[in-house]
């Protein structure tokens, strides 16, 4: 439809009009640019502009046409509602046209709207408005006849839509039968929005990723796609829901209008809720004047992320039906309603550069440096690109125009690039093969997405490890943040973990911006952290894949951190919920002399390496049979797995340990017990028992 060159031209033109407004001489170009953007949005479903930017251009066109009515072109976007009809579905007429909404962006816009309403309706006092969410999904029109759902259609071009009845029937939130007869209504048309819950959207994309299907950019695309699928079981699988926000048409069996029995819009929506339709509840409010309506809109602008559905604004509607009728409609929108659009969450900008960050275990994360852009009130200039595949999957090049989104409280991410806007000067991304900090060759382990630097002396990596060690999640050294670590690292005061516990506080007190008080604070926080339970220390060591949960589990099974030197990967996987990858990484860590030296140094500086109550969560009775005993299982057990036996021992008050030493109280020897049994026998103080004897003891 449009060549690449035309697309580039329209995009440039639009950006120029956004910078300096179009004049009457620009009318034709502006109109054509808007027609192009309509096509990108409705037909291609690939908008190049944010809604806010599009609305700015649309307003410019409206202003030009209002000032020069003779200039009005018959194909102007202001003269029609856009069409997204496809030939695949049967086209059906709407009972009454499905119009769009005019937009507002702030309290002043709403006050202008209110003034206009009072003028149109000759009202002197306050107008009552209903305010409700503007759902960001796909619009639908449902017809019920004689209480049965007989037809469902998409909005289409506003006059005609696609018949999607089988798909609507597959949406559980749409009742197949509703008791309209209760109100004497024989035929009714309801308007609403098919929508997918944000949480559910994540699950849909996870599943698509597993199936190797293309991911949806946002819940709206997943919902509109779900409405128009040829297979209604797919609509169902996507978990589509539908909110009803309007009753457009309602007559009795003789064709008499049935609206007059309701006082207003708010009452009608609640009536539909009573009939079993999904409607906005606490998210809608009947407001006694425009100021109250405006406050409710502002409140939801702040709260939007807490709502489980995507909403891109609120809709303010004159509540009284008689007043609505007095206002009437334009060809484009009803005059009695207006959308209050939230600040843009999507915007286009330029990908200026890519930087490569080195993580605490050496993973290389590419980070996009963007031309700064405003997104829902926040300036975004840097966005993670995750890994090499993400860059190639999205076909990103340096210099590309890209679409960025900030959904919910989620960190911003790049939705897509626009290859059609490339000039040819964009550069392909060449992922580094060497570490940007220490220049050692990067490696990629099987099954992992990230390239890694595996040089243990890589300074960038060491710094990240130190930052993680002191963080809230790890040793939680209160007030000792990233900036302190960086500063002390640069000064050469902390080169490794143990240095953190051997700082010269007098020297810190002399530093610019510190003083005795701050130095004391740092000291107190560090001293306090020395008493942490060992799971925190284990987690703080940056052992690849060893998270907080696994650290806690392992901590429950050891007396002392250095006991892990004796654990094999097989023994570790014997612990419930410890997988082979974590097990191997732990074993590898404790096989390194350097790491052991570090831990011994930590202990010599007073850091706790012994198990504490906080590491041992199991509640044990005072008279538990193995209270305070250490135990070890060896050989093959007959009646239970080793994991089960270890758990049983813990509930009986014992601690499982891994090595045979003078500290071991009980050794349970199963079949084919070998060296451990011999060693225990040699020690002489270890009580050796069979599996059956152990069971008898704990039962
Ligand atoms: S009222 C006749 N209310 O927004 C009144 N529309 O930009 C016109 N939308 O196509 C619609 N939530 O699909 C209305 N609470 C709401 C809405 C809503 C979402 C959609 C609707 C419409 C579009 C207009």
């Amino acid at each position: 439809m449009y060549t690449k060159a035309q697309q580039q031209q329209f995009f440039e033109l639009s950006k120029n009009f956004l910078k300096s407004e179009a004049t009457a001489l620009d009318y034709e170009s502006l109109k054509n640019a808007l027609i192009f953007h309509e096509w990108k949005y409705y037909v291609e479903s690939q908008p190049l502009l944010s809604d806010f930017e599009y609305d700015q251009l649309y307003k410019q066109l409206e202003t030009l046409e209002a000032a020069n009515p003779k200039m009005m072109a018959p194909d102007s976007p202001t003269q029609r509602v856009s069409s997204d009809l496809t030939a695949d579905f049967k086209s059906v007429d709407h009972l009454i046209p499905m119009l769009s909404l005019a937009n507002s962006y702030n309290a002043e816009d709403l006050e202008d709207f209110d003034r206009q309403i009072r003028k149109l309706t000759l009202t002197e006092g306050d107008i009552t408005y209903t305010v409700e969410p503007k759902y960001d999904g796909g619009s639908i029109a449902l017809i019920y006849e004689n209480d049965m759902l007989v037809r469902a259609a998409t909005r289409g071009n506003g006059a005609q839509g696609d018949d999607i009845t089988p798909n609507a029937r597959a949406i559980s939130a749409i009742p197949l039968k509703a008791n309209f007869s209760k109100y004497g209504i024989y035929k009714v048309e309801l308007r609403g929005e098919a929508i997918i819950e944000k949480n559910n959207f994540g699950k849909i994309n996870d599943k698509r990723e597993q199936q190797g299907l293309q991911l949806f950019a946002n819940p709206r695309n997943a919902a509109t796609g779900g409405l128009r699928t040829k297979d209604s079981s797919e609509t169902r699988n996507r978990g589509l829901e539908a909110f009803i926000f309007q009753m457009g048409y309602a007559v009795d069996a003789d064709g008499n209008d049935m609206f007059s029995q309701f006082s207003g819009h708010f009452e009608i929506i609640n009536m539909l809720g009573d009939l079993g339709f999904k409607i906005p509840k606490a998210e809608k409010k009947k407001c006694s004047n425009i100021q109250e309506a405006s406050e409710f809109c502002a409140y939801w602008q702040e709260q939007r992320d807490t709502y489980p559905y995507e909403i891109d604004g609120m809709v303010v509607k004159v509540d009284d039906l008689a007043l609505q009728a007095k206002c009437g409609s334009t060809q484009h929108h009803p005059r009695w309603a207006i959308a209050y659009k939230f600040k843009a969450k999507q915007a286009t900008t330029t990908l200026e550069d890519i930087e490569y960050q080195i993580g605490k275990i050496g993973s290389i994360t590419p980070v996009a440096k963007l031309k700064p852009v405003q997104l829902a009130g926040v300036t975004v200039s840097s966005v993670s690109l995750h890994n090499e595949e993400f860059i190639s999957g999205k076909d990103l090049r340096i210099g590309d125009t890209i679409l960025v989104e900030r959904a919910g409280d989620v960190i911003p991410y790049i939705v897509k690039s626009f290859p059609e806007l490339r000039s040819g000067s964009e550069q392909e991304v060449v992922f580094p093969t060497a570490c940007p900090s220490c220049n050692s060759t990067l490696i990629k382990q099987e099954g992992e997405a990230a390239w890694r630097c595996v040089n243990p002396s890589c300074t960038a990596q060491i710094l990240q490890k130190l930052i993680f060690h002191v963080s809230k999640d790890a040793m939680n050294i209160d007030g000792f943040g990233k900036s302190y670590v960086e500063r002390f690292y640069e000064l050469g005061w902390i080169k490794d973990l143990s240095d953190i516990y051997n700082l010269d506080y007098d020297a810190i007190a002399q530093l610019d911006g510190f003083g005795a008080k701050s130095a004391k604070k740092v000291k107190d926080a560090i001293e306090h952290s020395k008493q942490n339970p060992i799971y925190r220390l284990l987690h703080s060591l940056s052992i690849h894949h060893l998270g907080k949960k696994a650290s806690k589990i392992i901590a429950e099974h050891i007396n002392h951190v250095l006991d892990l030197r004796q654990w094999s990967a097989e023994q570790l996987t014997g612990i419930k919920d410890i997988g082979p990858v974590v097990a191997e990484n732990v074993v590898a860590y404790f096989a390194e002399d350097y790491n052991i030296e570090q831990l011994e140094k930590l202990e010599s500086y007073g850091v706790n390496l012994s198990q504490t109550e906080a590491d041992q969560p199991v509640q044990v009775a005072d008279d538990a049979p193995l209270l305070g005993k250490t135990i070890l299982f060896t050989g093959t057990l007959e009646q239970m797995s080793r994991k089960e036996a270890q758990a049983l021992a813990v509930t009986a008050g014992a601690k499982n340990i891994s090595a045979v030493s003078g500290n071991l109280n009980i050794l349970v020897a199963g079949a084919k017990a070998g060296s451990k049994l011999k060693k225990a026998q040699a020690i002489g103080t270890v009580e050796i028992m069979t599996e059956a004897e152990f069971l008898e003891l704990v039962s």
Side-chain angles (χ1 to χ4, degrees), residues 408-421:
D409 44 10
V410 183
I411 25 180
Y413 70 96
I414 292 184
V415 180
K416 61 191 289 246
S417 64
F418 294 99
E420 65 271 37
L421 297 177

Side-chain angles (χ1 to χ4, degrees), residues 42 97-103 132-140 155 191-193 244-246 265 280 312-315 317 329 333-334 336-337 339 341:
Y42 289 107
M98 285 182 83
L99 299 180
S100 195
L101 285 168
N103 288 328
E132 60 200 30
K134 184 171 186 305
Y135 295 104
D136 199 8
S139 353
I140 46 168
R155 177 170 176 271
R191 271 85 196 275
E193 199 87 348
I244 302 301
F245 55 68
Q246 203 73 27
H265 174 73
D312 57 346
M314 301 299 281
V315 186
K317 296 174 177 174
S329 302
H333 59 262
W336 45 264
K341 296 290 286 271

Side-chain angles (χ1 to χ4, degrees), residues 248-268:
Y249 177 89
V251 294
D252 67 9
D254 299 322
N256 299 309
D257 191 290
M258 295 306 287
F259 275 91
S260 56
Q261 62 185 306
F262 303 107
S263 69
H265 174 73
F266 193 84
E267 188 192 338
I268 291 177

